[in-house]
Amino acid sequence: MSGTDPAEVFDAIGADYEAAFGLRPVAERAVRGLLAALPAGARVLDLGSGTGRPVAADLAAAGHRVTGLDVSGEMVRIARAQVPDAEFVQADVRYWETGPESWDAVCAFFSFLQMSRADTEAVLARVAGWLAPGGLLALATVPADVEDLPIEFLGHRMVVTSYSAEALADRVRVAGFEVLETHRETFAPDKPGAEPEEHLLISARKPG
């Protein structure tokens, strides 16, 4: 990862992240889709789980077995307190290990923005291996053709990398997924002076 360490940034941001970004319509849309499609008691992996709300909280409340991964110890602490029915682990998904075909769904909401393109593509391939046949991927991001772009995020310096919507959908397909839907909309963070930004949701399935 490039620039300021994401773990340090999100440790410092803490609960302010949920206050500004907790009600993102693309995440709510993705969760509704998963709740409609998953079997009872499904195993769901939430990459970049943040404060645990609303994604892990809503999925766990529906009876699914949710594990959240986040590089920030502070985010993991908050999530464990807020969503006791899910499990949260402080880990870097680039190095974290889990069994093949052991998950029914994987969520990744804005967690690839702090990774290089090479790391994003490698993690997508790993996720495809972790999912059971027919397993679902819900991926949300800010689409843009940028690499190592310095930004200020909730008062902290970060460096972000992303893809255009079309390029990211191609990368998802190359990783071994069937893209089911792409959905785009504009989101305005609940923070004074924050500019509206475009959000992209890609819903995909591992062939069964």
Side-chain angles (χ1 to χ4, degrees), residues 30 33-34 37-38 104-107 124 127-128 131-140 168-183 201-207:
L34 291 173
L38 288 173
D104 299 299
V106 174
C107 303
L124 284 171
V127 167
L131 279 167
L136 300 173
L137 170 67
L139 187 162
L168 183 56
D170 285 344
R171 299 279 67 75
V172 171
R173 293 186 185 97
V174 167
F177 292 94
E178 172 193 0
V179 173
L180 304 176
E181 178 191 36
T182 60
H183 173 78
L201 170 66
I202 296 178
S203 301
R205 179 195 296 123
K206 178 179 176 177

Side-chain angles (χ1 to χ4, degrees), residues 101-150:
E101 300 187 355
S102 57
W103 300 90
D104 299 299
V106 174
C107 303
F109 298 128
F110 306 94
S111 48
F112 287 115
L113 289 167
Q114 289 81 53
M115 292 187 200
S116 69
R117 289 182 173 175
D119 283 341
T120 293
E121 292 164 21
V123 170
L124 284 171
R126 300 186 82 209
V127 167
W130 296 340
L131 279 167
L136 300 173
L137 170 67
L139 187 162
T141 192
V142 178
D145 185 11
V146 297
E147 289 189 77
D148 295 330
L149 176 68

Side-chain angles (χ1 to χ4, degrees), residues 2-20:
S2 303
T4 302
D5 180 10
E8 294 179 1
V9 171
F10 284 98
D11 281 347
I13 290 171
D16 288 345
Y17 182 80
E18 183 179 326

Side-chain angles (χ1 to χ4, degrees), residues 72-96:
S72 164
E74 177 64 9
M75 289 296 190
V76 168
R77 184 194 67 78
I78 293 170
R80 286 171 177 167
Q82 294 193 145
V83 192
D85 292 335
E87 178 184 0
F88 296 94
V89 178
Q90 183 181 0
D92 186 327
V93 67
R94 297 175 301 169
Y95 311 113
W96 186 71

